[in-house]
Amino acid sequence: MTSNSTFYFPAPITQHFCTQCGHQLTRMRPPLDNKERDCCTHCGAVHYRNPLPVVGTLPIWEDKILLCKRAIEPCYGKWTLPAGFMELDESTEQGAIRETLEEAGAHIQLQQLLTILDVPSVSQVHLYYLATLQNLHFTPGEESLEVQLFSFENIPWAEIAFPTVEKTLRYYIECYPHSTPPPLHLVLP
Protein backbone atom coordinates (compact mmCIF):
# COMPACT_ATOMS: atom_id res chain seq x y z
CA MET A 1 0.00 0.00 0.00
CA THR A 2 1.28 3.48 -0.79
CA SER A 3 0.27 7.06 -0.21
CA ASN A 4 -2.36 8.50 -2.58
CA SER A 5 -0.82 11.96 -2.70
CA THR A 6 -0.55 13.65 -6.10
CA PHE A 7 2.43 15.68 -4.87
CA TYR A 8 6.01 14.48 -5.05
CA PHE A 9 9.30 15.81 -3.75
CA PRO A 10 11.90 16.08 -6.50
CA ALA A 11 15.55 16.36 -5.60
CA PRO A 12 17.02 17.64 -8.85
CA ILE A 13 20.74 18.16 -9.19
CA THR A 14 20.06 21.04 -11.59
CA GLN A 15 17.36 23.68 -11.84
CA HIS A 16 15.75 25.04 -14.98
CA PHE A 17 14.67 28.57 -14.04
CA CYS A 18 16.13 31.37 -11.94
CA THR A 19 14.42 31.86 -8.57
CA GLN A 20 15.31 35.57 -8.72
CA CYS A 21 14.06 36.63 -12.17
CA GLY A 22 12.44 33.54 -13.75
CA HIS A 23 14.73 33.28 -16.77
CA GLN A 24 16.11 29.97 -18.00
CA LEU A 25 19.38 28.92 -16.36
CA THR A 26 22.65 27.93 -18.01
CA ARG A 27 24.99 25.29 -16.63
CA MET A 28 28.44 26.92 -16.47
CA ARG A 29 31.39 27.66 -14.24
CA PRO A 30 30.91 31.14 -12.76
CA PRO A 31 33.92 33.44 -12.33
CA LEU A 32 36.17 32.54 -9.36
CA ASP A 33 34.45 29.16 -8.92
CA ASN A 34 35.83 25.67 -9.56
CA LYS A 35 32.58 23.82 -10.40
CA GLU A 36 29.78 24.12 -12.87
CA ARG A 37 26.66 25.69 -11.36
CA ASP A 38 23.19 26.69 -12.51
CA CYS A 39 23.67 30.36 -13.48
CA CYS A 40 21.34 33.04 -14.74
CA THR A 41 22.96 34.97 -17.59
CA HIS A 42 20.10 37.50 -17.35
CA CYS A 43 20.43 38.71 -13.73
CA GLY A 44 23.75 37.09 -12.72
CA ALA A 45 22.40 34.87 -9.90
CA VAL A 46 24.40 31.72 -9.18
CA HIS A 47 22.25 28.89 -7.80
CA TYR A 48 24.20 26.68 -5.42
CA ARG A 49 22.83 23.22 -4.59
CA ASN A 50 24.03 21.87 -1.26
CA PRO A 51 23.46 18.60 0.63
CA LEU A 52 20.25 18.33 2.61
CA PRO A 53 20.62 17.70 6.35
CA VAL A 54 18.35 15.02 7.84
CA VAL A 55 18.07 15.16 11.63
CA GLY A 56 16.52 12.71 14.04
CA THR A 57 16.73 10.84 17.30
CA LEU A 58 17.17 7.40 18.73
CA PRO A 59 14.66 7.68 21.60
CA ILE A 60 15.12 5.21 24.45
CA TRP A 61 13.08 4.15 27.46
CA GLU A 62 15.07 1.92 29.80
CA ASP A 63 16.43 -0.74 27.40
CA LYS A 64 13.92 -0.19 24.58
CA ILE A 65 14.05 1.91 21.41
CA LEU A 66 11.14 3.87 19.94
CA LEU A 67 10.54 3.26 16.22
CA CYS A 68 7.97 4.67 13.81
CA LYS A 69 6.28 2.77 10.97
CA ARG A 70 6.30 5.06 7.92
CA ALA A 71 2.99 6.28 6.47
CA ILE A 72 4.72 7.96 3.51
CA GLU A 73 7.01 7.04 0.66
CA PRO A 74 9.76 6.18 0.34
CA CYS A 75 9.62 2.96 2.35
CA TYR A 76 5.93 3.08 3.23
CA GLY A 77 5.19 0.54 5.98
CA LYS A 78 8.85 0.13 7.04
CA TRP A 79 10.22 1.00 10.48
CA THR A 80 12.45 4.01 11.07
CA LEU A 81 13.74 6.34 13.73
CA PRO A 82 11.89 9.67 13.96
CA ALA A 83 13.78 11.95 11.57
CA GLY A 84 13.36 14.31 8.65
CA PHE A 85 14.75 17.28 6.79
CA MET A 86 15.81 20.31 8.78
CA GLU A 87 13.70 23.42 8.37
CA LEU A 88 15.17 26.85 7.75
CA ASP A 89 16.02 28.83 10.87
CA GLU A 90 16.43 25.85 13.19
CA SER A 91 19.44 24.09 14.67
CA THR A 92 20.09 20.38 14.19
CA GLU A 93 19.01 19.83 17.80
CA GLN A 94 15.77 21.79 17.35
CA GLY A 95 15.02 19.87 14.16
CA ALA A 96 15.61 16.51 15.83
CA ILE A 97 13.27 17.41 18.70
CA ARG A 98 10.61 18.72 16.28
CA GLU A 99 10.78 15.62 14.06
CA THR A 100 10.43 13.33 17.09
CA LEU A 101 7.36 15.22 18.25
CA GLU A 102 5.84 15.33 14.73
CA GLU A 103 6.43 11.69 13.82
CA ALA A 104 6.11 9.96 17.18
CA GLY A 105 4.23 12.44 19.38
CA ALA A 106 7.05 11.86 21.85
CA HIS A 107 8.54 14.31 24.31
CA ILE A 108 12.24 13.72 24.76
CA GLN A 109 15.31 14.89 26.57
CA LEU A 110 17.99 15.26 23.91
CA GLN A 111 21.36 13.70 24.69
CA GLN A 112 24.59 13.67 22.69
CA LEU A 113 25.08 13.32 18.95
CA LEU A 114 25.21 9.60 18.16
CA THR A 115 25.86 9.27 14.40
CA ILE A 116 26.84 11.43 11.45
CA LEU A 117 26.18 9.60 8.20
CA ASP A 118 27.16 11.09 4.85
CA VAL A 119 25.06 9.79 1.94
CA PRO A 120 26.59 11.42 -1.16
CA SER A 121 24.49 9.31 -3.57
CA VAL A 122 21.40 11.32 -2.54
CA SER A 123 23.25 14.49 -1.44
CA GLN A 124 22.24 14.13 2.21
CA VAL A 125 23.88 14.15 5.63
CA HIS A 126 22.01 12.32 8.43
CA LEU A 127 22.57 13.29 12.07
CA TYR A 128 21.00 11.20 14.83
CA TYR A 129 20.98 12.22 18.48
CA LEU A 130 20.53 9.89 21.41
CA ALA A 131 17.40 10.88 23.35
CA THR A 132 15.54 9.76 26.45
CA LEU A 133 11.75 9.58 26.41
CA GLN A 134 10.32 11.80 29.13
CA ASN A 135 7.28 9.54 29.51
CA LEU A 136 5.42 6.74 27.75
CA HIS A 137 2.88 9.04 26.11
CA PHE A 138 3.56 8.82 22.36
CA THR A 139 1.31 8.52 19.33
CA PRO A 140 1.76 8.31 15.56
CA GLY A 141 1.91 11.62 13.72
CA GLU A 142 0.69 12.16 10.15
CA GLU A 143 3.81 10.55 8.67
CA SER A 144 3.62 7.43 10.88
CA LEU A 145 1.23 4.48 10.84
CA GLU A 146 2.38 3.21 14.21
CA VAL A 147 4.87 4.01 16.98
CA GLN A 148 6.24 1.26 19.18
CA LEU A 149 8.98 0.50 21.70
CA PHE A 150 11.25 -2.42 20.77
CA SER A 151 13.67 -4.37 22.91
CA PHE A 152 17.00 -4.98 21.18
CA GLU A 153 16.14 -8.59 20.36
CA ASN A 154 12.76 -7.65 18.83
CA ILE A 155 13.89 -4.94 16.40
CA PRO A 156 12.35 -5.80 12.99
CA TRP A 157 15.68 -5.73 11.11
CA ALA A 158 14.19 -7.00 7.83
CA GLU A 159 11.69 -4.12 7.90
CA ILE A 160 14.04 -1.22 8.66
CA ALA A 161 13.50 1.61 6.15
CA PHE A 162 16.96 3.07 5.54
CA PRO A 163 20.63 2.05 5.84
CA THR A 164 21.32 5.12 7.99
CA VAL A 165 18.71 3.98 10.50
CA GLU A 166 20.11 0.45 10.57
CA LYS A 167 23.69 1.73 11.09
CA THR A 168 22.54 4.01 13.92
CA LEU A 169 20.57 1.24 15.65
CA ARG A 170 23.43 -1.27 15.37
CA TYR A 171 25.96 1.26 16.64
CA TYR A 172 23.86 2.08 19.69
CA ILE A 173 23.26 -1.61 20.51
CA GLU A 174 26.97 -2.36 20.05
CA CYS A 175 27.89 0.43 22.50
CA TYR A 176 25.18 -0.37 25.07
CA PRO A 177 25.28 -0.07 28.10
CA HIS A 178 27.94 2.66 27.86
CA SER A 179 26.20 5.93 28.58
CA THR A 180 28.29 8.13 26.30
CA PRO A 181 29.43 6.42 23.10
CA PRO A 182 31.57 8.66 20.90
CA PRO A 183 29.80 9.94 17.74
CA LEU A 184 30.17 7.56 14.80
CA HIS A 185 30.93 9.13 11.40
CA LEU A 186 30.49 7.01 8.26
CA VAL A 187 30.12 7.56 4.53
CA LEU A 188 27.45 5.33 3.00
CA PRO A 189 27.08 4.61 -0.72
Side-chain angles (χ1 to χ4, degrees):
M1 175 178 247
T2 61
S3 171
N4 292 327
S5 175
T6 57
F7 293 99
Y8 71 102
F9 304 98
I13 300 300
T14 59
Q15 302 179 203
H16 297 289
F17 299 98
C18 181
T19 58
Q20 304 303 303
C21 72
H23 280 77
Q24 190 162 359
L25 295 173
T26 302
R27 191 81 175 154
M28 61 183 277
R29 189 171 63 90
L32 304 176
D33 203 331
N34 61 356
K35 288 188 168 205
E36 283 193 347
R37 312 278 184 193
D38 294 320
C39 300
C40 181
T41 57
H42 182 261
C43 75
V46 178
H47 297 271
Y48 292 91
R49 297 279 301 160
N50 301 103
L52 296 169
V54 172
V55 292
T57 64
L58 189 151
I60 56 171
W61 180 266
E62 296 173 355
D63 63 347
K64 294 185 176 157
I65 298 171
L66 188 72
L67 296 177
C68 304
K69 186 179 266 191
R70 290 179 60 83
I72 59 172
E73 294 292 355
C75 299
Y76 181 94
K78 301 276 186 170
W79 290 96
T80 189
L81 292 167
F85 293 112
M86 277 181 67
E87 295 289 349
L88 298 177
D89 298 325
E90 73 181 357
S91 69
T92 57
E93 292 176 338
Q94 290 168 330
I97 292 167
R98 175 187 50 77
E99 285 290 342
T100 304
L101 187 58
E102 286 178 3
E103 294 187 6
H107 294 276
I108 57 168
Q109 178 66 48
L110 205 62
Q111 306 295 327
Q112 74 271 7
L113 183 62
L114 184 64
T115 57
I116 305 161
L117 304 157
D118 298 325
V119 193
S121 62
V122 290
S123 299
Q124 295 175 3
V125 177
H126 294 214
L127 297 107
Y128 287 97
Y129 288 88
L130 192 56
T132 305
L133 289 169
Q134 291 182 339
N135 54 52
L136 291 176
H137 302 290
F138 48 82
T139 185
E142 290 183 8
E143 296 181 2
S144 300
L145 297 169
E146 186 179 341
V147 181
Q148 184 177 331
L149 283 170
F150 288 92
S151 61
F152 297 172
E153 56 273 359
N154 291 324
I155 291 174
W157 293 109
E159 300 173 43
I160 296 297
F162 305 106
T164 55
V165 171
E166 181 178 345
K167 292 284 186 194
T168 298
L169 288 168
R170 289 192 188 280
Y171 179 63
Y172 176 72
I173 292 168
E174 174 187 306
C175 292
Y176 188 84
H178 306 297
S179 58
T180 55
L184 174 69
H185 183 204
L186 294 175
V187 178
L188 301 179

